[in-house]
Amino acid sequence: MARAGAEQDLRGARALVMGLGTRQGGVGVARYLVAQGAEVTVTDLRTEADLAPALEELAGLPIRYVLGEHRAEDFERADLVVRNPAVPLDSPWLQRARAAGARIEMEMSLFFRACPAPIIGITGTKGKTTTATLCAGILRVARPDTVLAGNMGTSTLDALPGIRPDTPVIIELSSWQIEGLAEHGLSPHVAVITNISEDHLNRYPSMAAYVEAKRQIARYQGPDDWLVLNRDDPLVWESRAVGAGRVVPFGRAGDAPAGAFRDGDRLVWRWDGSEVELLRRDEFPLPGDHAVANALAAAAAAILAGASPDQVRAGLLGATPVPHRQEIVATIDGVCYVNDTTATAPAAALAALDTFRGRPLVLIAGGAAKGADLGPMARRVSAEASAVVLLDGTATPDLHARLREAGAARISGPHRSMEDAVRAAAELATPGGVVLLAPGCASFGLFRDEFERGEAFRAAVRALAEAARREGEP
């Protein structure tokens, strides 16, 4: 790989931040460029009102803003354009900048170049946030200064000042962020792919292109690097020849001599002809088989980064659910309300169904289309959920039709607000059951992003709990 730790000289460079965004990444980029002495312009199609919180964080810095539009002259005069991950590689604005001689970067490529420590990079269609968080929890047993950042609403560049050459660094990477790394020949020292299934097919021309984007995480690894792969996922396991990194598998126990595996009720690590038990399944506090797979991936990455089996055990025993991922918000009148808003693809929604199998379940689903086939999800939901409450969105008519075809018993909606959806779900739920927000679709349209959707679910459930409390008062 192109090695990290070599910060670039950006003094006097005309730097254009394309897409400030609302989740800290663009804010961190702008701050970093100013600190490096660049002449910074921020351009975003959203308005000043839309971006108010981000603009407030940058108040007082010498930054020029072009909001509500992009201007050709800004791209033509830039030495450097730092694009938001949501901006596609083939954007005509980027083509204009390239033609004028500008270098195109992303937050993540700037970070990889400047970071003085080896990086653990974790990607996958689902499970990457939980895996990254578990890995950080393990490494923090011995190193409380461990850095966890990436595709999780924080800026990696803001973390740079506290990173030393021996600081453990774990970065969650989306396929879009990986594109920005591959463009500059960058890969992490330890790369992890949790799984690959249909997602973002509104952004990629085919499933093959999406798979290739994920695999790029390992493309520029060298023989001293490590590639941790899900042995049970064919698309992931077929990625083992992508780069020169040494492959370490995780998954169900088999004849593999090395890696992290589930062997019956045990989670084990095999290496150099020996096997050590990390912990037993019933000791691991997170529910679901997918959580076990995430734990195995995190354990393998942490051990390759220097953690001992005892530290792995301690870190996994202390695991807690990540916000917005199968997060129990409240139990009201015997019904458990679960927030899994980050289940933005059908495969993630089905993994959530697996966790609550056997309990009466009302699923809140639907939203914006991403090109995925909703048929398999509709068939499983129709067979296993007692009712489905639909959120409005571009994917919802198709999901509604497929649920009808599959014989779904009760369908409510589409609803134009989370409050209406939660109230409808509460009316359909029964004591001992679950109301599960696992949309299987993107959030755009009704919500800014999936996190705002999750916050709306939390607020609606808490309002429901407060109403139930008031009704119970004498």
Side-chain angles (χ1 to χ4, degrees):
M1 65 174 273
R3 290 294 164 186
E7 205 153 345
Q8 303 171 82
D9 184 1
L10 298 175
R11 287 172 296 182
R14 295 187 296 266
L16 181 66
V17 179
M18 184 184 184
L20 182 60
T22 58
R23 289 288 171 183
Q24 292 299 311
V27 169
V29 168
R31 272 198 293 251
Y32 175 77
L33 293 172
V34 168
Q36 296 303 306
E39 175 191 311
V40 180
T41 297
V42 169
T43 181
D44 197 302
L45 294 176
R46 280 171 287 194
T47 66
E48 183 176 349
D50 295 332
L51 299 168
L55 294 172
E56 186 175 346
E57 290 198 48
L58 296 174
L61 293 180
I63 297 173
R64 171 176 167 264
Y65 295 98
V66 178
L67 305 179
E69 62 174 338
H70 293 321
R71 297 176 183 168
E73 57 266 29
D74 293 325
F75 290 86
E76 291 169 351
R77 70 182 293 272
D79 300 312
L80 167 71
V81 176
V82 185
R83 67 181 178 96
N84 185 288
V87 177
L89 275 169
D90 59 357
S91 161
W93 296 104
L94 295 182
Q95 291 175 7
R96 186 184 292 268
R98 289 189 186 98
R103 188 172 79 253
I104 310 301
E105 299 276 1
M106 292 179 69
E107 174 197 15
M108 207 54 68
S109 58
L110 293 173
F111 176 81
F112 266 59
R113 285 210 188 89
C115 181
I119 295 170
I120 300 172
I122 297 174
T123 196
T125 302
K126 59 184 188 291
K128 53 186 176 291
T129 301
T130 299
T131 301
T133 303
L134 290 172
C135 187
I138 293 167
L139 291 169
R140 282 174 179 155
V141 172
R143 290 294 302 267
D145 60 334
T146 294
V147 170
L148 172 64
N151 185 42
M152 47 179 62
T154 58
S155 169
T156 53
L157 292 169
D158 282 348
L160 272 175
I163 298 176
R164 301 192 303 272
D166 62 343
T167 302
V169 177
I170 303 98
I171 303 295
E172 179 193 339
L173 294 167
S174 70
S175 56
W176 303 345
Q177 290 168 321
I178 294 168
E179 287 175 347
L181 296 176
E183 192 174 10
H184 297 282
L186 295 160
S187 287
H189 173 55
V190 179
V192 180
I193 306 179
T194 60
N195 47 68
I196 301 177
S197 59
E198 279 192 343
D199 200 9
H200 297 302
L201 298 187
N202 57 331
R203 168 77 172 254
Y204 294 96
S206 65
M207 181 64 182
Y210 171 65
V211 171
E212 182 61 21
K214 286 293 189 189
R215 289 175 175 168
Q216 291 295 313
I217 192 173
R219 177 69 64 191
Y220 299 99
Q221 286 191 310
D224 293 331
D225 298 320
W226 299 99
L227 177 57
V228 178
L229 297 177
N230 187 341
R231 197 170 183 239
D232 303 327
D233 185 318
L235 289 174
V236 173
W237 192 235
E238 289 166 9
S239 308
R240 58 192 181 277
V242 166
R246 293 167 287 179
V247 174
V248 177
F250 70 92
R252 292 188 295 270
D255 57 0
F261 301 101
R262 179 175 183 173
D263 185 2
D265 291 330
R266 302 184 309 138
L267 277 62
V268 301
W269 172 252
R270 294 176 183 165
W271 202 255
D272 285 341
S274 64
E275 178 180 290
V276 59
E277 180 178 306
L278 300 172
L279 78 168
R280 301 188 68 81
R281 172 64 186 97
D282 60 7
E283 296 176 301
F284 183 52
L286 302 187
D289 289 343
H290 64 286
V292 174
N294 295 337
L296 292 170
I303 289 172
L304 294 171
S308 70
D310 286 344
Q311 290 163 355
V312 171
R313 176 179 174 81
L316 294 182
L317 285 174
T320 57
V322 178
H324 300 298
R325 291 156 180 87
Q326 297 193 15
E327 170 193 21
I328 296 175
V329 177
T331 298
I332 306 169
D333 296 333
V335 178
C336 182
Y337 290 77
V338 180
N339 170 22
D340 199 18
T341 184
T342 55
T344 60
L350 295 182
L353 285 183
D354 288 339
T355 300
F356 300 101
R357 182 173 290 165
R359 298 179 66 178
L361 186 140
V362 178
L363 178 69
I364 301 177
K370 294 199 288 180
D373 180 5
L374 298 174
M377 174 180 166
R379 290 189 288 274
R380 275 278 308 278
V381 169
S382 298
E384 297 180 20
S386 58
V388 184
V389 176
L390 294 175
L391 294 165
D392 199 14
T394 56
T396 301
D398 180 37
L399 179 58
H400 195 169
R402 290 174 178 267
L403 287 166
R404 290 286 189 196
E405 290 170 6
R410 292 182 290 179
I411 304 173
S412 173
H415 295 275
R416 289 286 304 164
S417 73
M418 185 63 76
E419 293 83 0
D420 288 346
V422 168
R423 281 195 294 265
E427 292 174 2
L428 292 164
T430 56
V434 174
V435 170
L436 171 65
L437 173 67
C441 302
S443 56
F444 307 114
L446 291 183
F447 307 99
R448 183 180 67 224
D449 54 30
E450 67 268 31
F451 303 109
E452 185 179 66
R453 179 171 61 188
E455 292 293 349
F457 179 78
R458 285 176 179 167
V461 171
R462 288 168 183 158
L464 197 68
E466 177 61 20
R469 184 192 65 78
R470 288 197 304 268
E471 285 179 11
E473 290 179 347

